[in-house]
Amino acid sequence: MKPSSPTLATLALLAVSAAMSPAMAQEQVLNIYSARHYPSDELMYGAFSKATGIQIKRVDADDAGILARLKAEGAASPADVILLVDASRLWRAQVDGLFMPIKSPLLEQAIPAHLRAQADANGGTAWFGLSTRARVVVFDKLKYKKSDFDSYEKLADPQFKGQLCIRSGSHPYNLSLFGAMTEHMGAAQTEAWLKGLVGNMARSPKGGDTDQIKGVASGECGMAVTNSYYLARLMRSTQAADVAVTEKIGVVFPNQSSWGTHMNVAGGAVAKHAKHSANAIKFLEYLASPQAQNHFANGNNEWPAAQGVRFDNPALQAMTGGSFKSELLPISAVGQNQTKVQQMLDRVGFK
Ligand code: FE
């Protein structure tokens, strides 16, 4: 027997390691950095661990905090999966090189092309939208009717001077909406529109989306812009104060007769320096499953991003009457416009 010949035991070991998938080779752990701060998400993480035996460790922070932490940690970062709640932030993280491009036939089939971001020419995907939210207009039912606000363009109409409540223009939800408007109307027209919005403001931007809805209910403003799930949350609340708010307001899904209502995404990606990338892909695939997509729809009042998922949410049903036309812009193009949009905001004095 030659000394260099492998023993039977070595051959057996080689055969075992060759048969091991990368997932099996990795320890059964997954580190998630999440900007999703919705308590109902816990159930989803639990279901994944139970089904796979993969133990989840989670770091919760807001989007900006997560990006800063990933940059500070660099290659030593323990993060495997990153969950962020806005297209502008996802785009920023992609450009900053914080994501590992992945290929997953399952995710590519489930998530429509306009809701995911191509990473490179090799066909890898940088991130996937996992749920969608509409940016809608709410209005004072006593003063106005739906047709007054059936397009975003109308929010700038001088007849609504002193009526608009909206959060800061620099908030990612608005940067994404304005980035989409730039795609639809071009930069010059969008800047003129933004100037019109500033001219119509009831007050200097302050607070979050729920504060804008409440501003309409209290009579401080006649119209406001909000993400759909904040409204759905109030509609599903049993608190008397919330019920009173929703009774005073109407809601419009703008631009049904043109390009459709602006949609934003919450999404996920594999971290650039993930040590458990196979587990991370498995987790993102789980988030695109009908079970998890239903959770997004019912737990946080979002729409599933995956195609063909049936769900049942009374508030979303009531808000839309069943269906509506949503914008089909590539969501990655929306994020790309944010620097340009911020410059416009500065020029027109939109705080
Ligand atoms: Fe939000």
Side-chain angles (χ1 to χ4, degrees), residues 50 54 148 168 190 205 245 247-249 257 312-313 330 342:
K50 204 171 163 195
I54 295 169
D148 290 328
S168 166
T190 301
V245 165
E247 279 171 353
K248 289 194 178 125
I249 59 172
S257 57
D312 182 30
N313 181 310
Q342 187 57 57

Side-chain angles (χ1 to χ4, degrees), residues 72-90:
E73 289 171 343
S77 175
D80 297 309
V81 163
I82 302 163
L83 300 177
L84 301 174
V85 294
D86 172 82
S88 293
R89 252 86 184 251
L90 285 158

